[in-house]
Amino acid sequence: MSRIFSGVQPSGNLHLGNYLGAIRNFVGLQEDYECIYCAVDMHAITVWQDPADLRSNTREVAAAYIAAGVDPKRSIIFAQSTVAAHAELAWIFNCVARLGWLNRMTQFKEKAGKNRENASVGLYAYPSLMAADILAYKATHVPVGEDQKQHLELTRDIAQKFNNDYETETFPLVEPLIFGAATRVMSLRDGSKKMSKSDPSDYSRITFTDDRDSIAKKLRKARTDADPLPETEEGLKGRPEAANLVGIYAALADLSKQAVLDEFAGAAFSTFKPALTELAVEKFGPIGEEMKRLMADPAHVDTILKEGAERAAALAAPVMAEVKEVVGFIRP
Ligand code: TYM
């Protein structure tokens, strides 16, 4: 059976983009794959995290997975820092990846901003750790939103270079799984920016903790243009805000964008936004509620994370033994 690995950073403000682009897809994959889902706390600290918030946000990512329908009995749910293989393999990959490859990473450029000299070394080496997350389990398929595509290409480059340099076939070349009608959900305030945990405006995103009123308020305030909805997807070209809201509706309703337009062609946003609000409250609202319910019992979440860490460590152990042998590390 092929293995799936994916992760979400516990950096707070989990949002609808994380859900539609990634977490929702995790659920269905459990049918056909052995799945490993991680709260990547070591990635989170590449930018400053308050320690108490980090702990709580790590539990929150686990709770969000479960609330969305990931079954902790069937799939593995754990925190990255609790399985040492991630850090160990990341170091080896730091010695495989080239500076030139990392220099091309758009996420680093975006996150480091103008003041690159002041970015953490961890933020720069972030993609090596991500490759280690996946390859410590020899996972072959990785469900993510579109923004992670470049990192997965780098994961393939690292695997290939490792295999070539050491003349082995240790690592598989991973396949990204990017699917659904909303693989890149955009900010509700600006259709040219992706919805993100770090946007200073709370109105830019719908979060797992939003209740009906805040979902309604955020969608009411969401930026749009003045035209009615078009008849075809072609008509959404050049209308990023409209395209975004139609994509969100389609993903939540499990429809194609065209099917949504078939229903709403000619409608004004004053009609479409309330319909979208109802749908979001119906489909996304209960997941947030369940996440909050799970968060009320952190000891229960911790038990799941602990059991997940033990199962994950057992899967990573033979891979790490093989890698160390290949690299030439002696056995203690
Ligand atoms: P992170 O925490 O930024 O996001 C978690 C997942 O949500 C997706 N996503 C989105 N999808 C659609 N629209 C959006 N606006 C949007 N924003 C985020 C992301 O693509 C991601 O799938 N580097 C990863 C975490 C990671 C990882 C891994 C993923 C670490 N190791 C190994 C896969 C495999 C990240 O920062 O995700």
Short mmCIF file of all heavy atoms in Angstrom, two decimals, residues 5-11 15-23 26 40 43 80 107 111 126 129-131 133-134 142-148 151-152 182-186 194-197, ligand 1:
data_model
loop_
_atom_site.label_atom_id
_atom_site.label_comp_id
_atom_site.label_asym_id
_atom_site.label_seq_id
_atom_site.Cartn_x
_atom_site.Cartn_y
_atom_site.Cartn_z
N PHE A 5 2.00 11.20 3.26
CA PHE A 5 2.42 12.07 4.38
C PHE A 5 1.97 13.49 4.07
O PHE A 5 2.09 13.95 2.93
CB PHE A 5 3.94 12.07 4.55
CG PHE A 5 4.38 12.89 5.74
CD1 PHE A 5 4.62 12.27 6.96
CD2 PHE A 5 4.48 14.27 5.67
CE1 PHE A 5 4.97 13.01 8.08
CE2 PHE A 5 4.83 15.03 6.78
CZ PHE A 5 5.08 14.40 7.99
N SER A 6 1.44 14.17 5.07
CA SER A 6 1.26 15.61 4.91
C SER A 6 1.32 16.29 6.27
O SER A 6 1.22 15.64 7.30
CB SER A 6 -0.04 15.96 4.18
OG SER A 6 0.03 17.31 3.73
N GLY A 7 1.50 17.60 6.24
CA GLY A 7 1.63 18.35 7.48
C GLY A 7 1.03 19.74 7.38
O GLY A 7 0.88 20.29 6.29
N VAL A 8 0.69 20.27 8.54
CA VAL A 8 0.19 21.64 8.65
C VAL A 8 0.96 22.31 9.79
O VAL A 8 1.18 21.69 10.84
CB VAL A 8 -1.33 21.65 8.94
CG1 VAL A 8 -1.83 23.07 9.22
CG2 VAL A 8 -2.12 21.03 7.78
N GLN A 9 1.35 23.55 9.59
CA GLN A 9 2.09 24.27 10.64
C GLN A 9 1.16 24.74 11.75
O GLN A 9 0.14 25.38 11.45
CB GLN A 9 2.76 25.53 10.06
CG GLN A 9 3.85 25.23 9.09
CD GLN A 9 4.65 26.49 8.80
OE1 GLN A 9 5.29 27.06 9.66
NE2 GLN A 9 4.60 26.92 7.55
N PRO A 10 1.53 24.49 13.00
CA PRO A 10 0.72 25.01 14.11
C PRO A 10 1.11 26.44 14.44
O PRO A 10 1.65 26.72 15.50
CB PRO A 10 1.05 24.04 15.26
CG PRO A 10 2.43 23.56 14.96
CD PRO A 10 2.62 23.61 13.46
N SER A 11 0.82 27.33 13.49
CA SER A 11 1.19 28.73 13.73
C SER A 11 -0.05 29.59 13.95
O SER A 11 0.01 30.81 13.81
CB SER A 11 2.06 29.25 12.58
OG SER A 11 1.61 28.76 11.35
N HIS A 15 -7.23 28.09 8.71
CA HIS A 15 -8.29 28.74 7.93
C HIS A 15 -8.89 27.84 6.85
O HIS A 15 -8.44 26.70 6.64
CB HIS A 15 -7.75 30.05 7.34
CG HIS A 15 -6.50 29.87 6.52
ND1 HIS A 15 -6.49 29.26 5.29
CD2 HIS A 15 -5.22 30.22 6.76
CE1 HIS A 15 -5.26 29.26 4.80
NE2 HIS A 15 -4.46 29.83 5.69
N LEU A 16 -9.88 28.42 6.19
CA LEU A 16 -10.62 27.69 5.16
C LEU A 16 -9.71 27.22 4.02
O LEU A 16 -9.97 26.17 3.43
CB LEU A 16 -11.72 28.63 4.62
CG LEU A 16 -12.72 28.06 3.62
CD1 LEU A 16 -13.57 26.95 4.26
CD2 LEU A 16 -13.64 29.17 3.10
N GLY A 17 -8.66 27.96 3.73
CA GLY A 17 -7.71 27.53 2.69
C GLY A 17 -7.00 26.25 3.10
O GLY A 17 -6.84 25.32 2.30
N ASN A 18 -6.58 26.18 4.37
CA ASN A 18 -5.94 24.96 4.88
C ASN A 18 -6.92 23.78 4.78
O ASN A 18 -6.52 22.66 4.46
CB ASN A 18 -5.52 25.11 6.35
CG ASN A 18 -4.51 26.22 6.57
OD1 ASN A 18 -4.68 27.05 7.45
ND2 ASN A 18 -3.46 26.26 5.77
N TYR A 19 -8.18 24.08 5.06
CA TYR A 19 -9.19 23.02 5.02
C TYR A 19 -9.46 22.55 3.58
O TYR A 19 -9.30 21.38 3.26
CB TYR A 19 -10.49 23.50 5.67
CG TYR A 19 -11.59 22.47 5.60
CD1 TYR A 19 -11.46 21.23 6.24
CD2 TYR A 19 -12.76 22.71 4.88
CE1 TYR A 19 -12.46 20.27 6.15
CE2 TYR A 19 -13.76 21.75 4.79
CZ TYR A 19 -13.60 20.53 5.42
OH TYR A 19 -14.58 19.58 5.32
N LEU A 20 -9.78 23.50 2.70
CA LEU A 20 -10.17 23.10 1.33
C LEU A 20 -8.98 22.64 0.50
O LEU A 20 -9.11 21.73 -0.32
CB LEU A 20 -10.88 24.26 0.63
CG LEU A 20 -12.22 24.68 1.24
CD1 LEU A 20 -12.79 25.87 0.48
CD2 LEU A 20 -13.23 23.53 1.25
N GLY A 21 -7.82 23.25 0.72
CA GLY A 21 -6.64 22.89 -0.08
C GLY A 21 -6.00 21.60 0.39
O GLY A 21 -5.39 20.88 -0.41
N ALA A 22 -6.12 21.29 1.68
CA ALA A 22 -5.36 20.16 2.21
C ALA A 22 -6.19 19.24 3.12
O ALA A 22 -6.49 18.11 2.77
CB ALA A 22 -4.13 20.67 2.96
N ILE A 23 -6.56 19.74 4.29
CA ILE A 23 -7.09 18.86 5.34
C ILE A 23 -8.29 18.04 4.87
O ILE A 23 -8.42 16.85 5.16
CB ILE A 23 -7.44 19.67 6.62
CG1 ILE A 23 -6.17 20.36 7.15
CG2 ILE A 23 -8.05 18.79 7.68
CD1 ILE A 23 -6.40 21.33 8.30
N PHE A 26 -7.28 15.07 3.06
CA PHE A 26 -6.64 14.02 3.88
C PHE A 26 -7.65 12.90 4.18
O PHE A 26 -7.28 11.74 4.29
CB PHE A 26 -6.17 14.56 5.24
CG PHE A 26 -5.08 15.60 5.20
CD1 PHE A 26 -4.63 16.18 6.39
CD2 PHE A 26 -4.48 15.99 4.02
CE1 PHE A 26 -3.63 17.13 6.39
CE2 PHE A 26 -3.47 16.95 4.02
CZ PHE A 26 -3.05 17.52 5.20
N VAL A 40 3.40 20.22 12.14
CA VAL A 40 4.84 20.46 11.95
C VAL A 40 5.31 21.65 12.81
O VAL A 40 5.55 22.75 12.32
CB VAL A 40 5.21 20.62 10.46
CG1 VAL A 40 5.09 19.28 9.75
CG2 VAL A 40 4.35 21.65 9.75
N HIS A 43 8.69 23.23 11.88
CA HIS A 43 8.59 24.23 10.80
C HIS A 43 8.03 25.55 11.34
O HIS A 43 8.46 26.62 10.92
CB HIS A 43 7.68 23.71 9.68
CG HIS A 43 8.39 22.85 8.69
ND1 HIS A 43 8.12 21.51 8.53
CD2 HIS A 43 9.37 23.14 7.81
CE1 HIS A 43 8.92 21.01 7.60
NE2 HIS A 43 9.68 21.97 7.14
N GLN A 80 5.54 16.73 14.88
CA GLN A 80 6.85 16.53 14.24
C GLN A 80 8.00 16.42 15.25
O GLN A 80 8.85 15.53 15.15
CB GLN A 80 7.08 17.74 13.34
CG GLN A 80 8.28 17.72 12.44
CD GLN A 80 8.38 19.05 11.70
OE1 GLN A 80 8.01 20.11 12.23
NE2 GLN A 80 8.85 19.00 10.48
N GLN A 107 8.65 30.69 -1.39
CA GLN A 107 8.11 30.88 -0.04
C GLN A 107 9.13 31.56 0.87
O GLN A 107 8.78 32.41 1.67
CB GLN A 107 7.63 29.57 0.56
CG GLN A 107 6.95 29.78 1.90
CD GLN A 107 6.14 28.57 2.38
OE1 GLN A 107 5.28 28.06 1.68
NE2 GLN A 107 6.44 28.11 3.57
N LYS A 111 8.47 35.02 2.72
CA LYS A 111 8.45 35.09 4.18
C LYS A 111 9.61 35.91 4.74
O LYS A 111 9.46 36.58 5.76
CB LYS A 111 8.51 33.68 4.78
CG LYS A 111 7.19 32.96 4.70
CD LYS A 111 7.12 31.88 5.77
CE LYS A 111 5.80 31.16 5.74
NZ LYS A 111 5.77 30.02 6.66
N TYR A 126 14.13 25.34 5.56
CA TYR A 126 12.78 24.79 5.71
C TYR A 126 12.48 23.63 4.74
O TYR A 126 11.99 22.57 5.14
CB TYR A 126 11.83 25.98 5.50
CG TYR A 126 10.36 25.74 5.64
CD1 TYR A 126 9.64 26.34 6.68
CD2 TYR A 126 9.64 24.98 4.73
CE1 TYR A 126 8.28 26.16 6.80
CE2 TYR A 126 8.29 24.80 4.84
CZ TYR A 126 7.60 25.39 5.88
OH TYR A 126 6.25 25.21 5.99
N LEU A 129 13.86 20.17 5.69
CA LEU A 129 13.09 19.52 6.77
C LEU A 129 11.79 18.95 6.21
O LEU A 129 11.37 17.86 6.60
CB LEU A 129 12.81 20.54 7.88
CG LEU A 129 11.96 20.05 9.06
CD1 LEU A 129 12.58 18.85 9.77
CD2 LEU A 129 11.73 21.18 10.08
N MET A 130 11.21 19.65 5.28
CA MET A 130 9.96 19.15 4.68
C MET A 130 10.23 17.86 3.89
O MET A 130 9.45 16.91 3.96
CB MET A 130 9.38 20.24 3.78
CG MET A 130 8.03 19.89 3.24
SD MET A 130 7.17 21.38 2.66
CE MET A 130 6.06 20.60 1.49
N ALA A 131 11.34 17.82 3.17
CA ALA A 131 11.71 16.59 2.45
C ALA A 131 11.93 15.46 3.45
O ALA A 131 11.51 14.31 3.22
CB ALA A 131 12.96 16.84 1.63
N ASP A 133 10.53 15.14 6.41
CA ASP A 133 9.22 14.71 6.93
C ASP A 133 8.66 13.57 6.09
O ASP A 133 8.18 12.56 6.60
CB ASP A 133 8.20 15.86 6.85
CG ASP A 133 8.54 17.04 7.73
OD1 ASP A 133 9.32 16.88 8.68
OD2 ASP A 133 8.02 18.15 7.44
N ILE A 134 8.72 13.79 4.81
CA ILE A 134 8.06 12.87 3.87
C ILE A 134 8.89 11.60 3.70
O ILE A 134 8.39 10.47 3.77
CB ILE A 134 7.90 13.56 2.50
CG1 ILE A 134 7.06 14.84 2.65
CG2 ILE A 134 7.30 12.61 1.46
CD1 ILE A 134 7.18 15.81 1.48
N VAL A 142 1.73 13.08 -1.53
CA VAL A 142 1.65 14.17 -0.56
C VAL A 142 0.51 15.13 -0.93
O VAL A 142 0.63 15.91 -1.88
CB VAL A 142 2.98 14.94 -0.50
CG1 VAL A 142 2.94 16.01 0.58
CG2 VAL A 142 4.15 13.99 -0.23
N PRO A 143 -0.61 15.05 -0.20
CA PRO A 143 -1.71 15.99 -0.48
C PRO A 143 -1.43 17.36 0.10
O PRO A 143 -1.20 17.50 1.30
CB PRO A 143 -2.92 15.33 0.23
CG PRO A 143 -2.33 14.50 1.33
CD PRO A 143 -0.95 14.09 0.87
N VAL A 144 -1.45 18.37 -0.74
CA VAL A 144 -1.16 19.76 -0.31
C VAL A 144 -1.94 20.73 -1.19
O VAL A 144 -2.47 20.36 -2.24
CB VAL A 144 0.35 20.11 -0.48
CG1 VAL A 144 1.20 19.52 0.60
CG2 VAL A 144 0.85 19.73 -1.86
N GLY A 145 -1.95 21.98 -0.76
CA GLY A 145 -2.45 23.06 -1.61
C GLY A 145 -1.38 23.43 -2.63
O GLY A 145 -0.22 23.01 -2.52
N GLU A 146 -1.79 24.23 -3.60
CA GLU A 146 -0.90 24.54 -4.72
C GLU A 146 0.40 25.23 -4.29
O GLU A 146 1.44 25.05 -4.93
CB GLU A 146 -1.66 25.45 -5.68
CG GLU A 146 -1.19 25.31 -7.09
CD GLU A 146 -2.19 25.94 -8.03
OE1 GLU A 146 -3.26 25.33 -8.22
OE2 GLU A 146 -1.89 27.04 -8.52
N ASP A 147 0.34 26.00 -3.19
CA ASP A 147 1.53 26.78 -2.79
C ASP A 147 2.70 25.89 -2.36
O ASP A 147 3.82 26.38 -2.25
CB ASP A 147 1.17 27.76 -1.66
CG ASP A 147 0.67 27.06 -0.41
OD1 ASP A 147 0.15 25.94 -0.51
OD2 ASP A 147 0.81 27.64 0.68
N GLN A 148 2.45 24.61 -2.13
CA GLN A 148 3.54 23.72 -1.69
C GLN A 148 4.20 22.96 -2.84
O GLN A 148 5.11 22.16 -2.63
CB GLN A 148 3.02 22.73 -0.65
CG GLN A 148 2.58 23.40 0.64
CD GLN A 148 3.71 24.20 1.28
OE1 GLN A 148 4.82 23.73 1.41
NE2 GLN A 148 3.42 25.43 1.65
N HIS A 151 8.00 23.21 -3.15
CA HIS A 151 8.71 22.46 -2.11
C HIS A 151 8.73 20.97 -2.42
O HIS A 151 9.70 20.28 -2.09
CB HIS A 151 8.04 22.68 -0.74
CG HIS A 151 8.33 24.02 -0.15
ND1 HIS A 151 7.49 24.63 0.74
CD2 HIS A 151 9.36 24.87 -0.34
CE1 HIS A 151 8.01 25.81 1.10
NE2 HIS A 151 9.13 25.97 0.45
N LEU A 152 7.68 20.47 -3.03
CA LEU A 152 7.65 19.04 -3.35
C LEU A 152 8.57 18.73 -4.53
O LEU A 152 9.15 17.64 -4.61
CB LEU A 152 6.23 18.57 -3.61
CG LEU A 152 5.34 18.63 -2.35
CD1 LEU A 152 3.94 18.11 -2.65
CD2 LEU A 152 5.94 17.84 -1.21
N ALA A 182 -10.63 24.15 -4.93
CA ALA A 182 -10.03 25.30 -4.24
C ALA A 182 -8.62 24.95 -3.76
O ALA A 182 -8.33 24.90 -2.58
CB ALA A 182 -10.90 25.70 -3.05
N THR A 183 -7.72 24.72 -4.71
CA THR A 183 -6.35 24.35 -4.36
C THR A 183 -5.54 25.58 -3.96
O THR A 183 -4.45 25.47 -3.42
CB THR A 183 -5.64 23.67 -5.55
OG1 THR A 183 -5.73 24.55 -6.67
CG2 THR A 183 -6.30 22.36 -5.90
N ARG A 184 -6.06 26.76 -4.28
CA ARG A 184 -5.42 28.02 -3.87
C ARG A 184 -6.52 29.01 -3.52
O ARG A 184 -7.02 29.73 -4.40
CB ARG A 184 -4.54 28.54 -5.02
CG ARG A 184 -3.71 29.74 -4.66
CD ARG A 184 -2.80 30.12 -5.82
NE ARG A 184 -2.08 31.33 -5.54
CZ ARG A 184 -0.94 31.38 -4.82
NH1 ARG A 184 -0.42 30.28 -4.35
NH2 ARG A 184 -0.35 32.53 -4.59
N VAL A 185 -6.89 29.02 -2.26
CA VAL A 185 -7.93 29.94 -1.80
C VAL A 185 -7.29 31.31 -1.58
O VAL A 185 -6.22 31.40 -0.97
CB VAL A 185 -8.58 29.42 -0.48
CG1 VAL A 185 -9.61 30.42 0.04
CG2 VAL A 185 -9.21 28.05 -0.71
N MET A 186 -7.92 32.35 -2.08
CA MET A 186 -7.32 33.68 -1.99
C MET A 186 -7.89 34.46 -0.81
O MET A 186 -8.95 34.12 -0.26
CB MET A 186 -7.56 34.45 -3.30
CG MET A 186 -7.13 33.70 -4.56
SD MET A 186 -5.44 33.07 -4.49
CE MET A 186 -4.52 34.54 -4.93
N LYS A 194 -2.84 35.03 -1.49
CA LYS A 194 -3.50 33.81 -1.00
C LYS A 194 -3.97 34.01 0.45
O LYS A 194 -3.40 34.82 1.19
CB LYS A 194 -2.59 32.60 -1.15
CG LYS A 194 -1.46 32.54 -0.19
CD LYS A 194 -0.68 31.23 -0.27
CE LYS A 194 0.36 31.30 0.82
NZ LYS A 194 1.44 30.40 0.79
N MET A 195 -5.01 33.29 0.80
CA MET A 195 -5.50 33.32 2.19
C MET A 195 -4.39 32.75 3.06
O MET A 195 -3.86 31.68 2.75
CB MET A 195 -6.78 32.49 2.32
CG MET A 195 -7.44 32.60 3.68
SD MET A 195 -9.00 31.66 3.79
CE MET A 195 -10.16 32.73 2.93
N SER A 196 -4.02 33.46 4.12
CA SER A 196 -2.87 33.01 4.88
C SER A 196 -3.04 33.25 6.38
O SER A 196 -3.79 34.14 6.81
CB SER A 196 -1.62 33.71 4.32
OG SER A 196 -0.98 34.46 5.30
N LYS A 197 -2.35 32.40 7.16
CA LYS A 197 -2.43 32.49 8.62
C LYS A 197 -1.83 33.80 9.11
O LYS A 197 -2.19 34.31 10.15
CB LYS A 197 -1.64 31.34 9.26
CG LYS A 197 -2.17 29.94 8.93
CD LYS A 197 -1.36 28.90 9.71
CE LYS A 197 -1.63 27.50 9.23
NZ LYS A 197 -0.43 26.84 8.66
P1 TYM B 1 0.88 25.36 5.79
O1 TYM B 1 0.81 25.12 7.25
O2 TYM B 1 1.20 26.72 5.29
O3 TYM B 1 -0.49 24.95 5.13
C1 TYM B 1 -1.06 23.67 5.37
C2 TYM B 1 -1.71 23.16 4.11
O4 TYM B 1 -2.70 24.07 3.66
C3 TYM B 1 -2.45 24.44 2.32
N1 TYM B 1 -2.82 25.84 2.14
C4 TYM B 1 -3.71 26.27 1.24
N2 TYM B 1 -4.45 25.62 0.32
C5 TYM B 1 -5.27 26.36 -0.45
N3 TYM B 1 -5.38 27.71 -0.33
C6 TYM B 1 -4.66 28.40 0.57
N4 TYM B 1 -4.78 29.71 0.67
C7 TYM B 1 -3.78 27.68 1.41
N5 TYM B 1 -2.91 28.03 2.40
C8 TYM B 1 -2.35 26.90 2.83
C9 TYM B 1 -0.98 24.24 2.11
O5 TYM B 1 -0.66 24.05 0.75
C10 TYM B 1 -0.71 23.00 2.95
O6 TYM B 1 -1.01 21.83 2.23
N6 TYM B 1 5.24 23.48 4.34
C11 TYM B 1 3.88 23.13 4.69
C12 TYM B 1 3.78 22.16 5.84
C13 TYM B 1 4.60 20.93 5.69
C14 TYM B 1 4.33 19.82 4.85
C15 TYM B 1 5.35 18.87 5.11
C16 TYM B 1 3.34 19.54 3.92
C17 TYM B 1 5.74 20.63 6.40
N7 TYM B 1 6.17 19.40 6.04
C18 TYM B 1 5.41 17.66 4.43
C19 TYM B 1 3.40 18.33 3.24
C20 TYM B 1 4.42 17.40 3.51
C21 TYM B 1 3.15 24.40 5.06
O7 TYM B 1 3.73 25.40 5.38
O8 TYM B 1 1.84 24.28 5.11
#
